[in-house]
Amino acid sequence: MASSAYAFLSFVFYTIFLSFGSYKAEARRFNDISSLVSLFDSIFLHKDNNACPAKGFYTYNSFIQASRCFPQFGRTGSSITRKREVAAFLAQISHETTGGWATAPDGPFAWGLCFKEEVSPQSSYCDSSNTQWPCSPGKSYKGRGPIQLSWNYNYGPAGKALGFDGLNNPDMVSNNSLIAFKTALWFWMTEQNPKPSCHNVMIGKYKPTAADVMANRTAGYGLVTNIINGGLECGIPNDGRVNDRIGYFQRYATLFNVSTGSNLDCEDQKSFS
Protein backbone atom coordinates (compact mmCIF):
# COMPACT_ATOMS: atom_id res chain seq x y z
CA MET A 1 0.00 0.00 0.00
CA ALA A 2 2.81 2.43 0.89
CA SER A 3 4.64 1.76 -2.38
CA SER A 4 1.42 2.38 -4.34
CA ALA A 5 0.90 5.66 -2.53
CA TYR A 6 4.49 6.66 -3.23
CA ALA A 7 4.08 5.86 -6.93
CA PHE A 8 0.91 7.94 -7.07
CA LEU A 9 2.49 10.90 -5.32
CA SER A 10 5.51 10.66 -7.61
CA PHE A 11 3.19 10.82 -10.58
CA VAL A 12 1.35 13.85 -9.16
CA PHE A 13 4.58 15.75 -8.45
CA TYR A 14 5.91 14.77 -11.84
CA THR A 15 2.79 16.11 -13.55
CA ILE A 16 3.20 19.40 -11.68
CA PHE A 17 6.82 19.48 -12.76
CA LEU A 18 5.79 19.07 -16.38
CA SER A 19 3.28 21.87 -16.05
CA PHE A 20 5.90 24.39 -14.93
CA GLY A 21 9.18 22.99 -16.21
CA SER A 22 10.90 24.02 -19.39
CA TYR A 23 10.71 21.99 -22.58
CA LYS A 24 14.39 21.06 -22.25
CA ALA A 25 13.83 19.75 -18.75
CA GLU A 26 10.85 17.73 -20.01
CA ALA A 27 12.90 16.33 -22.86
CA ARG A 28 15.62 15.20 -20.50
CA ARG A 29 13.03 13.59 -18.25
CA PHE A 30 11.60 11.60 -21.16
CA ASN A 31 14.86 10.00 -22.19
CA ASP A 32 13.47 6.76 -20.80
CA ILE A 33 9.92 5.56 -21.50
CA SER A 34 9.68 4.26 -17.94
CA SER A 35 9.07 7.85 -16.78
CA LEU A 36 5.73 7.67 -18.56
CA VAL A 37 4.49 4.32 -17.34
CA SER A 38 5.51 4.19 -13.70
CA LEU A 39 1.87 3.41 -12.92
CA PHE A 40 1.84 0.29 -15.11
CA ASP A 41 0.09 -1.88 -12.55
CA SER A 42 -2.42 0.86 -11.80
CA ILE A 43 -3.20 1.21 -15.49
CA PHE A 44 -3.64 -2.55 -15.91
CA LEU A 45 -5.48 -3.18 -12.68
CA HIS A 46 -6.58 -6.71 -13.45
CA LYS A 47 -4.01 -8.11 -15.87
CA ASP A 48 -2.90 -10.64 -13.26
CA ASN A 49 -6.39 -11.53 -12.11
CA ASN A 50 -7.02 -15.26 -11.77
CA ALA A 51 -9.72 -14.94 -14.44
CA CYS A 52 -7.19 -13.72 -17.03
CA PRO A 53 -5.45 -16.39 -19.13
CA ALA A 54 -2.44 -14.07 -19.46
CA LYS A 55 -1.94 -13.80 -15.71
CA GLY A 56 1.74 -13.14 -15.00
CA PHE A 57 2.67 -12.90 -18.68
CA TYR A 58 2.69 -9.18 -19.47
CA THR A 59 5.30 -7.68 -17.16
CA TYR A 60 6.38 -4.10 -16.76
CA ASN A 61 10.03 -5.06 -17.28
CA SER A 62 9.26 -6.78 -20.59
CA PHE A 63 7.43 -3.70 -21.83
CA ILE A 64 10.27 -1.38 -20.84
CA GLN A 65 12.90 -3.65 -22.42
CA ALA A 66 10.88 -3.92 -25.61
CA SER A 67 10.35 -0.17 -25.83
CA ARG A 68 14.10 0.42 -25.69
CA CYS A 69 14.39 -1.45 -29.00
CA PHE A 70 12.26 1.30 -30.56
CA PRO A 71 13.93 4.53 -29.44
CA GLN A 72 11.43 6.83 -31.19
CA PHE A 73 8.42 5.36 -29.40
CA GLY A 74 7.16 7.76 -26.75
CA ARG A 75 10.23 9.95 -27.25
CA THR A 76 9.25 12.09 -30.23
CA GLY A 77 7.82 15.60 -29.99
CA SER A 78 6.59 17.54 -27.00
CA SER A 79 5.80 15.96 -23.66
CA ILE A 80 2.10 16.10 -24.54
CA THR A 81 2.69 14.32 -27.85
CA ARG A 82 4.82 11.69 -26.16
CA LYS A 83 2.33 10.97 -23.42
CA ARG A 84 -0.57 10.90 -25.87
CA GLU A 85 1.23 8.38 -28.07
CA VAL A 86 1.94 6.06 -25.15
CA ALA A 87 -1.65 6.39 -23.95
CA ALA A 88 -2.89 5.53 -27.45
CA PHE A 89 -0.63 2.49 -27.71
CA LEU A 90 -1.63 1.18 -24.30
CA ALA A 91 -5.30 1.75 -25.14
CA GLN A 92 -5.11 -0.19 -28.39
CA ILE A 93 -3.33 -3.16 -26.85
CA SER A 94 -5.80 -3.06 -23.96
CA HIS A 95 -8.73 -3.43 -26.33
CA GLU A 96 -6.99 -6.20 -28.26
CA THR A 97 -6.48 -8.19 -25.04
CA THR A 98 -9.43 -7.00 -23.00
CA GLY A 99 -11.17 -9.14 -20.45
CA GLY A 100 -13.55 -6.36 -19.44
CA TRP A 101 -17.32 -6.16 -19.61
CA ALA A 102 -19.86 -3.45 -18.92
CA THR A 103 -20.25 -4.16 -15.19
CA ALA A 104 -16.72 -5.41 -14.53
CA PRO A 105 -15.03 -4.46 -11.23
CA ASP A 106 -13.35 -1.04 -11.63
CA GLY A 107 -15.17 -0.63 -14.94
CA PRO A 108 -14.74 -2.14 -18.42
CA PHE A 109 -11.53 -0.23 -19.12
CA ALA A 110 -9.49 -1.68 -16.26
CA TRP A 111 -9.08 -5.13 -17.81
CA GLY A 112 -6.45 -4.72 -20.51
CA LEU A 113 -3.75 -7.37 -21.10
CA CYS A 114 -6.04 -10.16 -19.92
CA PHE A 115 -5.49 -12.46 -22.91
CA LYS A 116 -2.30 -13.41 -24.74
CA GLU A 117 -3.81 -15.21 -27.71
CA GLU A 118 -7.02 -15.25 -29.68
CA VAL A 119 -9.78 -17.48 -28.34
CA SER A 120 -11.57 -19.78 -30.81
CA PRO A 121 -10.03 -18.41 -34.03
CA GLN A 122 -12.19 -18.91 -37.09
CA SER A 123 -9.26 -19.76 -39.34
CA SER A 124 -5.51 -20.28 -39.35
CA TYR A 125 -5.04 -16.75 -40.77
CA CYS A 126 -2.95 -18.04 -43.64
CA ASP A 127 -2.98 -15.95 -46.79
CA SER A 128 -1.76 -18.55 -49.28
CA SER A 129 -1.54 -15.93 -52.03
CA ASN A 130 1.31 -14.24 -50.16
CA THR A 131 4.41 -15.97 -51.53
CA GLN A 132 6.88 -13.62 -49.86
CA TRP A 133 5.87 -14.92 -46.43
CA PRO A 134 4.61 -18.46 -47.09
CA CYS A 135 2.69 -20.26 -44.38
CA SER A 136 4.36 -23.16 -42.64
CA PRO A 137 2.23 -26.35 -42.76
CA GLY A 138 0.12 -26.86 -39.70
CA LYS A 139 0.88 -23.46 -38.17
CA SER A 140 -1.75 -20.98 -37.07
CA TYR A 141 -1.19 -17.26 -37.44
CA LYS A 142 -4.04 -16.34 -35.12
CA GLY A 143 -3.91 -13.27 -32.94
CA ARG A 144 -1.19 -13.35 -30.30
CA GLY A 145 0.47 -10.86 -27.99
CA PRO A 146 -0.58 -7.35 -26.95
CA ILE A 147 -1.50 -6.21 -30.47
CA GLN A 148 -2.88 -9.65 -31.38
CA LEU A 149 -0.46 -10.03 -34.27
CA SER A 150 -2.27 -11.94 -37.03
CA TRP A 151 -1.65 -13.39 -40.50
CA ASN A 152 1.47 -14.85 -42.02
CA TYR A 153 2.30 -11.57 -43.77
CA ASN A 154 2.72 -9.98 -40.33
CA TYR A 155 4.39 -12.86 -38.50
CA GLY A 156 7.01 -13.23 -41.23
CA PRO A 157 8.33 -9.66 -41.33
CA ALA A 158 7.93 -9.19 -37.57
CA GLY A 159 10.08 -12.25 -36.96
CA LYS A 160 12.68 -11.10 -39.45
CA ALA A 161 12.87 -7.65 -37.85
CA LEU A 162 12.98 -8.97 -34.30
CA GLY A 163 15.16 -12.05 -34.70
CA PHE A 164 12.77 -14.99 -34.39
CA ASP A 165 11.18 -17.35 -36.89
CA GLY A 166 7.66 -15.97 -37.05
CA LEU A 167 6.49 -18.31 -39.79
CA ASN A 168 7.73 -21.58 -38.28
CA ASN A 169 7.40 -20.63 -34.62
CA PRO A 170 4.47 -18.20 -34.29
CA ASP A 171 3.76 -19.49 -30.77
CA MET A 172 6.84 -17.55 -29.64
CA VAL A 173 4.61 -14.47 -29.50
CA SER A 174 2.39 -16.00 -26.83
CA ASN A 175 5.20 -17.82 -25.00
CA ASN A 176 7.76 -15.04 -24.59
CA SER A 177 6.66 -11.81 -22.92
CA LEU A 178 9.52 -9.74 -24.33
CA ILE A 179 8.93 -10.95 -27.88
CA ALA A 180 5.21 -10.33 -27.42
CA PHE A 181 5.72 -6.66 -26.55
CA LYS A 182 8.30 -6.28 -29.31
CA THR A 183 5.81 -7.49 -31.93
CA ALA A 184 3.24 -4.98 -30.72
CA LEU A 185 5.75 -2.14 -30.91
CA TRP A 186 7.05 -3.36 -34.27
CA PHE A 187 3.51 -3.19 -35.66
CA TRP A 188 2.98 0.24 -34.09
CA MET A 189 6.20 1.73 -35.47
CA THR A 190 6.28 0.15 -38.93
CA GLU A 191 4.71 1.68 -42.01
CA GLN A 192 2.98 -0.92 -44.18
CA ASN A 193 2.15 0.84 -47.41
CA PRO A 194 -0.47 2.13 -48.09
CA LYS A 195 -0.94 2.29 -44.32
CA PRO A 196 1.13 4.82 -42.40
CA SER A 197 2.62 3.78 -39.08
CA CYS A 198 0.51 4.29 -35.97
CA HIS A 199 3.51 6.13 -34.55
CA ASN A 200 3.56 8.74 -37.31
CA VAL A 201 -0.16 9.31 -36.96
CA MET A 202 0.10 9.96 -33.22
CA ILE A 203 3.13 12.27 -33.44
CA GLY A 204 1.63 14.39 -36.24
CA LYS A 205 3.82 13.22 -39.13
CA TYR A 206 1.04 11.55 -41.11
CA LYS A 207 0.65 13.06 -44.57
CA PRO A 208 -2.55 11.87 -46.26
CA THR A 209 -2.34 10.81 -49.88
CA ALA A 210 -5.02 11.66 -52.41
CA ALA A 211 -6.55 8.25 -51.72
CA ASP A 212 -6.56 8.97 -47.99
CA VAL A 213 -8.35 12.26 -48.53
CA MET A 214 -10.98 10.57 -50.69
CA ALA A 215 -11.45 7.92 -47.99
CA ASN A 216 -11.73 10.57 -45.25
CA ARG A 217 -8.80 9.03 -43.39
CA THR A 218 -8.06 11.99 -41.16
CA ALA A 219 -5.34 12.09 -38.52
CA GLY A 220 -6.26 11.05 -35.02
CA TYR A 221 -6.84 8.02 -32.83
CA GLY A 222 -9.56 6.80 -35.20
CA LEU A 223 -7.01 6.43 -37.97
CA VAL A 224 -4.87 4.25 -35.70
CA THR A 225 -7.88 1.98 -35.23
CA ASN A 226 -8.27 1.93 -39.01
CA ILE A 227 -4.65 0.84 -39.40
CA ILE A 228 -5.05 -1.95 -36.85
CA ASN A 229 -8.46 -3.37 -37.76
CA GLY A 230 -10.22 -1.00 -40.12
CA GLY A 231 -11.48 -3.70 -42.44
CA LEU A 232 -13.77 -4.99 -39.70
CA GLU A 233 -14.48 -1.92 -37.60
CA CYS A 234 -14.37 1.27 -39.67
CA GLY A 235 -17.17 2.80 -41.72
CA ILE A 236 -19.70 1.52 -39.18
CA PRO A 237 -21.72 4.02 -37.10
CA ASN A 238 -21.27 3.67 -33.34
CA ASP A 239 -19.36 0.39 -33.54
CA GLY A 240 -18.97 -1.18 -30.11
CA ARG A 241 -15.41 -2.33 -30.72
CA VAL A 242 -14.33 1.16 -31.76
CA ASN A 243 -16.08 2.63 -28.73
CA ASP A 244 -14.19 0.20 -26.49
CA ARG A 245 -10.89 1.37 -27.96
CA ILE A 246 -11.92 4.97 -27.34
CA GLY A 247 -12.95 4.23 -23.77
CA TYR A 248 -9.53 2.83 -22.95
CA PHE A 249 -7.83 5.81 -24.60
CA GLN A 250 -9.91 8.31 -22.66
CA ARG A 251 -9.08 6.58 -19.37
CA TYR A 252 -5.35 6.47 -20.05
CA ALA A 253 -5.20 10.02 -21.41
CA THR A 254 -6.78 11.16 -18.15
CA LEU A 255 -4.17 9.24 -16.16
CA PHE A 256 -1.41 10.92 -18.17
CA ASN A 257 -3.10 14.32 -17.89
CA VAL A 258 -3.36 14.92 -21.64
CA SER A 259 -6.25 15.42 -24.04
CA THR A 260 -7.13 12.73 -26.55
CA GLY A 261 -7.23 15.07 -29.53
CA SER A 262 -9.95 14.96 -32.17
CA ASN A 263 -11.13 12.28 -34.62
CA LEU A 264 -11.37 9.46 -32.12
CA ASP A 265 -13.53 7.10 -34.20
CA CYS A 266 -13.36 5.88 -37.78
CA GLU A 267 -17.04 5.54 -38.61
CA ASP A 268 -16.73 7.99 -41.50
CA GLN A 269 -13.48 6.50 -42.81
CA LYS A 270 -13.01 3.86 -45.48
CA SER A 271 -10.66 1.09 -44.51
CA PHE A 272 -7.31 0.53 -46.22
CA SER A 273 -8.27 -2.96 -47.38
Side-chain angles (χ1 to χ4, degrees), residues 44-88:
F44 300 108
L45 286 173
H46 296 285
K47 71 181 180 66
D48 294 324
N49 189 285
N50 286 331
C52 289
K55 178 183 178 181
F57 182 70
Y58 295 114
T59 67
Y60 173 76
N61 286 338
S62 289
F63 173 59
I64 295 302
Q65 288 182 52
S67 71
R68 288 171 181 163
C69 297
F70 298 88
Q72 297 305 309
F73 172 70
R75 301 177 181 89
T76 305
S78 68
S79 63
I80 292 175
T81 298
R82 297 174 184 203
K83 289 192 285 185
R84 185 180 290 129
E85 181 189 8
V86 174

Side-chain angles (χ1 to χ4, degrees), residues 141-144 149-159 166-167 170 173:
Y141 303 102
K142 66 180 180 180
R144 296 181 179 90
L149 191 74
S150 306
W151 296 99
N152 51 306
Y153 51 74
N154 282 319
Y155 275 89
L167 293 176
V173 181

Side-chain angles (χ1 to χ4, degrees), residues 81-102:
T81 298
R82 297 174 184 203
K83 289 192 285 185
R84 185 180 290 129
E85 181 189 8
V86 174
F89 173 80
L90 296 179
Q92 291 287 354
I93 66 172
S94 291
H95 168 79
E96 292 292 334
T97 59
T98 187
W101 64 99

Side-chain angles (χ1 to χ4, degrees), residues 1-266:
M1 183 69 70
S3 60
S4 298
Y6 176 79
F8 177 75
L9 288 173
S10 296
F11 179 80
V12 171
F13 289 134
Y14 177 53
T15 301
I16 294 173
F17 170 80
L18 287 181
S19 299
F20 296 100
S22 67
Y23 175 81
K24 287 184 178 180
E26 291 174 12
R28 287 195 300 271
R29 179 70 174 181
F30 281 106
N31 283 337
D32 194 311
I33 197 71
S34 61
S35 62
L36 280 177
V37 289
S38 59
L39 294 181
F40 191 81
D41 290 335
S42 297
I43 293 170
F44 300 108
L45 286 173
H46 296 285
K47 71 181 180 66
D48 294 324
N49 189 285
N50 286 331
C52 289
K55 178 183 178 181
F57 182 70
Y58 295 114
T59 67
Y60 173 76
N61 286 338
S62 289
F63 173 59
I64 295 302
Q65 288 182 52
S67 71
R68 288 171 181 163
C69 297
F70 298 88
Q72 297 305 309
F73 172 70
R75 301 177 181 89
T76 305
S78 68
S79 63
I80 292 175
T81 298
R82 297 174 184 203
K83 289 192 285 185
R84 185 180 290 129
E85 181 189 8
V86 174
F89 173 80
L90 296 179
Q92 291 287 354
I93 66 172
S94 291
H95 168 79
E96 292 292 334
T97 59
T98 187
W101 64 99
T103 59
D106 299 307
F109 309 121
W111 287 78
L113 299 184
C114 189
F115 289 85
K116 61 179 181 177
E117 59 185 4
E118 184 177 355
V119 177
S120 301
Q122 300 301 302
S123 74
S124 63
Y125 292 91
C126 171
D127 180 0
S128 58
S129 68
N130 190 299
T131 57
Q132 182 179 5
W133 306 106
C135 302
S136 182
K139 298 299 182 181
S140 171
Y141 303 102
K142 66 180 180 180
R144 296 181 179 90
I147 206 76
Q148 290 292 280
L149 191 74
S150 306
W151 296 99
N152 51 306
Y153 51 74
N154 282 319
Y155 275 89
K160 181 179 180 180
L162 301 174
F164 75 98
D165 190 343
L167 293 176
N168 290 309
N169 191 14
D171 288 322
M172 178 73 77
V173 181
S174 55
N175 291 333
N176 184 304
S177 179
L178 179 57
I179 291 294
F181 275 119
K182 283 183 177 181
T183 62
L185 286 163
W186 170 85
F187 186 93
W188 184 266
M189 301 297 295
T190 303
E191 177 181 342
Q192 299 185 50
N193 191 48
K195 296 180 180 181
S197 70
C198 300
H199 170 71
N200 278 347
V201 171
M202 291 309 301
I203 66 169
K205 288 189 176 181
Y206 164 64
K207 295 182 179 180
T209 64
D212 291 327
V213 173
M214 289 291 293
N216 199 35
R217 292 192 285 259
T218 52
Y221 185 73
L223 182 56
V224 172
T225 296
N226 198 338
I227 293 168
I228 294 172
N229 206 30
L232 296 177
E233 299 180 21
C234 294
I236 304 171
N238 199 35
D239 185 83
R241 296 162 296 186
V242 173
N243 291 339
D244 190 71
R245 295 178 191 271
I246 293 171
Y248 272 111
F249 186 36
Q250 289 172 330
R251 176 175 178 249
Y252 297 163
T254 298
L255 287 174
F256 286 133
N257 196 29
V258 292
S259 66
T260 59
S262 57
N263 301 319
L264 295 183
D265 64 63
C266 58

